[in-house]
Amino acid sequence: MRLSQFHLATVKEVPADAEIASHRLMLRAGMIRRLASGLYTWSPLGLRVLRKVENIVREEMNRAGAIEMLMPSIQPKELWEETGRWEKFGGQLLKIKDRKQQEFCYGPTHEEVVTDFARNELKSYKQLPVNFYQIQTKFRDEIRPRFGVMRAREFLMKDAYSFHLTQESLAETYAAMYQAYVRIFTRLGLTFRAVQADTGAIGGNASHEFQVLADSGEDAIAFSDGSDYAANLEKAEALPPTLARPAAGAALQRVDTPTQKTIGDVAAFLQVSPRQCVKTLLVRGSDGLVALCLRGDHEINEVKAGKLAELPGESILASEEEILAACGTRPGFIGPVGLPDSIPLIVDRDAAVLADFVCGGNADGTHWTGANWDRDARIGRTADLRNVVEGDLSPDGKGVLHIARGIEVGHVFQLGQKYAQALDATVIDDQGKAQLMTMGCYGIGVSRIVAAAIEQRHDDAGILWPEAMAPWRVAVCVINPKNASAAVNEAAEALYQSLNRRGIETVLDDRGLRPGGMFADMELIGIPHRVVVSERGLAAGTLEYRAREESESRALSEDELFALLG
Amino acid sequence: MRLSQFHLATVKEVPADAEIASHRLMLRAGMIRRLASGLYTWSPLGLRVLRKVENIVREEMNRAGAIEMLMPSIQPKELWEETGRWEKFGGQLLKIKDRKQQEFCYGPTHEEVVTDFARNELKSYKQLPVNFYQIQTKFRDEIRPRFGVMRAREFLMKDAYSFHLTQESLAETYAAMYQAYVRIFTRLGLTFRAVQADTGAIGGNASHEFQVLADSGEDAIAFSDGSDYAANLEKAEALPPTLARPAAGAALQRVDTPTQKTIGDVAAFLQVSPRQCVKTLLVRGSDGLVALCLRGDHEINEVKAGKLAELPGESILASEEEILAACGTRPGFIGPVGLPDSIPLIVDRDAAVLADFVCGGNADGTHWTGANWDRDARIGRTADLRNVVEGDLSPDGKGVLHIARGIEVGHVFQLGQKYAQALDATVIDDQGKAQLMTMGCYGIGVSRIVAAAIEQRHDDAGILWPEAMAPWRVAVCVINPKNASAAVNEAAEALYQSLNRRGIETVLDDRGLRPGGMFADMELIGIPHRVVVSERGLAAGTLEYRAREESESRALSEDELFALLG
């Protein structure tokens, strides 16, 4: 492509509400333009990148035996009523009435439509397993769209749905999809982790998220340095402590902590480590308040807490009023010693092996020191209640955990029979009996990957595309082409054509910009390789080459350049 | 592709409301499945064909210098209010309220969005001309969706929009798009005509429709057998007659025609040709009724009539009551002889050269014979009011016209400044002054092409795909593979692989069906070439080849097959 024949429109200023790097850089590079809240036009430059991602996803889905199809974006209400999601899906479902007042929605996902397709198309177990996918525009009416295409309302998604007679067959396709996803994100050139994910309210048996690592990621991920264990923080198990609880050594003593309410304040005031403190949270149980105790340096894991039998499926902190009414003291001074017997007590396994610890005094402005389980406080039962932290042992016994932040770009999920049951999607088995199908679903946020890649790979000058995602791999630049000699222009043209002939996607910057503006544009839009053709270089028989990730140019012969670009 | 790894689901029965061949055959072949009124899922088989069309369209658009981008499907009301189309577009515009009660529509077309993009992106005449296009899902809330994907509500469209500083530049891009469309439909292997189209209410200067010829087409097309002249019937000019009006020979005479009201009835009753009759239509003018006279064998062209200065922009027949009030007689007996002077009379040029003609008597149950202009009736003014007919001279003076039916699959249009003006889309010219941009737009109904091709090319057994649109070019069939010898199965596998290696897209029918069912499926889904590998053929060193369009098989050697398939 000659840039003079393309539409490149980089901009200097971006709106103040572009909070994250990818949003700012996509606007500055002119990859996207905002049409309305959460709605973006992909410019020619942006679309080139989007299509690269789309094509790699398609190739690997095909290689894994999935079959592409295309479902409508507009879906009838009746199907969503069959699964109960017309009401349950919530405000993200964009509901629409047509001219005849029939109700529809703009599909945020396609379980209903694909299961309806399957119940009509699939009659016999001989047609199974089958894995249908599409790459298609979806809409979720986010209450607060932001971060550009990272959390847009209209977005491009690859969604696949597999159908099976048995759980074993589902597990096979699930594994194949997992491997396909590994190939996709590897080919895209991204640093990612496949993490065990909580299956949450959707139910189902197994689920992995594919997370692109980036400091700005919304999700925290725990991964081992000694194995390929990786899990969402909400899912990662904290192993039980290996050491038993020491014997009590100190005497229980009440101390005044008139203004110290946080663990940090109390520990500093008493000159102990937060590790030596117990913090107590009161949450709403299914049958009155429940107390949860953790070590002072640990954080509650709300997903784990929500699964406790004593809780109603979620973990909600009690209000100050509730705490006052139940314990006679304010939050900040609650502790296991002297806690009313009516309140069930559940202790994190790490907090349960403390001895001589500090905890709230169950009276305003006081704490206990030298507290010990059993001697001073009933311990109730123990459980894994906390988030894992950097340095915890990996649950698989290999290595220690590190914590990173990630952006979810893919999700594989063993759905089971939830949708097949709701829509009565059956096939005839080899005994001639109707059997509900078992399903898996596999999503990739195609447009989100573009933003996630930028979050992971950028610097002050702009984007650092992996080669597979770059709009072009190479930019051939001519300094001041209108004043350059014919020889320079011809050499640039020849190089441009020669690279493209070798299958190396190359753009010729023939716009006639000054070097400063031209180089800034090529860095901003993240072209991995830049080659400058100049009089001086031509005389010396060299090209001025610079990799986007390097700070210095180097002189290369044409053969060296071809060798470097493969 | 091995069919055992694909999802092919042909069906025997189709719904009674599938009225046209393409709708029936797409359902029978399992290319599409109805989700709701005007909403269709494209099965894997259907999508393969859709993508072939899409790819050819994309390649030729790129070759013609257009630049691909992607705009949202959901568009804000505010932009449509700027052009006035929020109200004017009518019921086809699917209006949507989001969770914040903001109003949007599902784009039926993208003039507003692309012109908004252009007014933001394009600052200088140096950025012009530029031609942006997208291939994207659109929605038109048809009041009566029908004919499957031919007139669906959700459909795939290629829409392009070009921006220019001058009309000359627009004319150049328009010509380039016209040529690109010719290449697209030629490559697709369709018989088509590029026809001059009426620019209608949209205004603008020039417009061509691309029509795929098919007997079931909704549009009538006039084309010359002596040149490449082709026009929509509504647009095609009827040349003035070459012969002057003969002198009057007969006397005016009133005859009773008590029950003969139509031209056919009257001509038969009086034993004259309809060509010797004048029929008179009363229509509503801007200022009272207007009479239009045509030769009895000609049909009124409502577009031409609507453009008469005496009419209010459209041609609406007067009601029986209006006619009775104005003329004292009923429709069927109106004529120019004795017509009240207060009614303006406009005569088609062919009717104006008649002498001694038959016409309505302006009294119930009577006609005149031997009527003549000037002597018996004022002639008013003459005009081209009629549809051209088979055998008319071509307006370009070369050859005679034939009439065919077509399906509109593409449209190129010189829009002018309508949208640029409404949205104030300007660039700075070389004098530093803001100038409104001039626009063209160029649409192709990608999904409709699939149906149009089937309308043009099918037989009783199924679809006859052109090679470029076929899901696969070749089907390799094995008779009863489970009982066939290993040698037969290996030969089929080798042939399948060898064809694909040569870049000839081939499907292996390894489903194990009986020959009858297998051949019927391959004919129904329209695979252009079928090759059967059998014991007998293997022994003779031949393959049993049959072209989809031929009724007999023939024995070919492998080399002959490769040569035939190019």
Side-chain angles (χ1 to χ4, degrees), chain B residues 99-113:
Chain B
R99 66 194 297 169
K100 290 170 185 159
Q101 300 305 307
Q102 300 285 314
E103 289 193 86
F104 295 84
C105 66
Y106 196 128
T109 180
H110 275 70
E111 281 84 2
E112 280 79 2
V113 175

Side-chain angles (χ1 to χ4, degrees), chain B residues 3-167:
Chain B
L3 268 191
S4 62
Q5 309 289 309
F6 193 71
H7 173 75
L8 182 68
T10 58
V11 293
K12 294 233 161 28
E13 303 294 330
V14 296
D17 70 351
E19 301 167 46
I20 60 171
S22 59
H23 190 189
R24 282 194 303 272
L25 288 171
M26 289 181 78
L27 288 171
R28 281 187 52 208
M31 291 178 62
I32 54 172
R33 277 262 180 200
R34 182 181 181 280
L35 174 63
S37 172
L39 300 177
Y40 289 88
T41 290
W42 290 79
S43 78
L45 182 72
L47 186 64
R48 283 186 75 91
V49 178
L50 187 67
R51 291 272 189 252
K52 303 255 161 143
V53 178
E54 181 182 332
N55 288 339
I56 288 177
V57 170
R58 178 174 288 116
E59 284 172 15
E60 294 299 337
M61 290 301 290
N62 290 344
R63 186 204 300 256
I67 311 177
E68 191 173 1
M69 62 183 304
L70 184 61
M71 292 175 270
S73 64
I74 299 298
Q75 312 181 357
K77 175 187 185 184
E78 290 69 28
L79 273 182
W80 285 72
E81 284 183 327
E82 285 192 62
T83 62
R85 291 209 295 181
W86 185 257
E87 294 306 329
K88 270 193 227 150
F89 202 88
Q92 287 200 345
L93 191 65
L94 183 69
K95 295 178 178 177
I96 300 172
K97 278 196 184 131
D98 74 2
R99 66 194 297 169
K100 290 170 185 159
Q101 300 305 307
Q102 300 285 314
E103 289 193 86
F104 295 84
C105 66
Y106 196 128
T109 180
H110 275 70
E111 281 84 2
E112 280 79 2
V113 175
V114 79
T115 309
D116 175 62
F117 179 79
R119 72 177 165 183
N120 289 317
E121 290 274 316
L122 304 174
K123 308 292 184 193
S124 158
Y125 72 99
K126 293 181 184 166
Q127 294 172 285
L128 305 183
V130 65
N131 188 3
F132 294 119
Y133 80 98
Q134 61 176 354
I135 298 177
Q136 193 233 26
T137 304
K138 305 246 183 290
F139 197 98
R140 290 190 189 163
D141 200 1
E142 297 281 351
I143 200 157
R144 202 182 142 217
R146 61 203 153 127
F147 305 151
V149 298
M150 185 77 88
R151 192 173 289 281
R153 295 200 288 177
E154 189 171 324
F155 57 98
L156 190 66
M157 187 168 165
K158 186 283 295 174
D159 45 331
Y161 308 89
S162 66
F163 295 86
H164 310 268
L165 192 66
T166 64
Q167 171 63 30

Side-chain angles (χ1 to χ4, degrees), chain A residues 14 17-28 32 40 146-149 451 454-455:
Chain A
V14 296
D17 70 351
E19 301 167 46
I20 61 172
S22 60
H23 191 188
R24 280 195 303 272
L25 288 170
M26 289 181 79
L27 288 171
R28 280 187 52 207
I32 54 172
Y40 290 88
R146 60 201 152 126
F147 304 151
V149 298
I454 298 175
E455 289 298 329

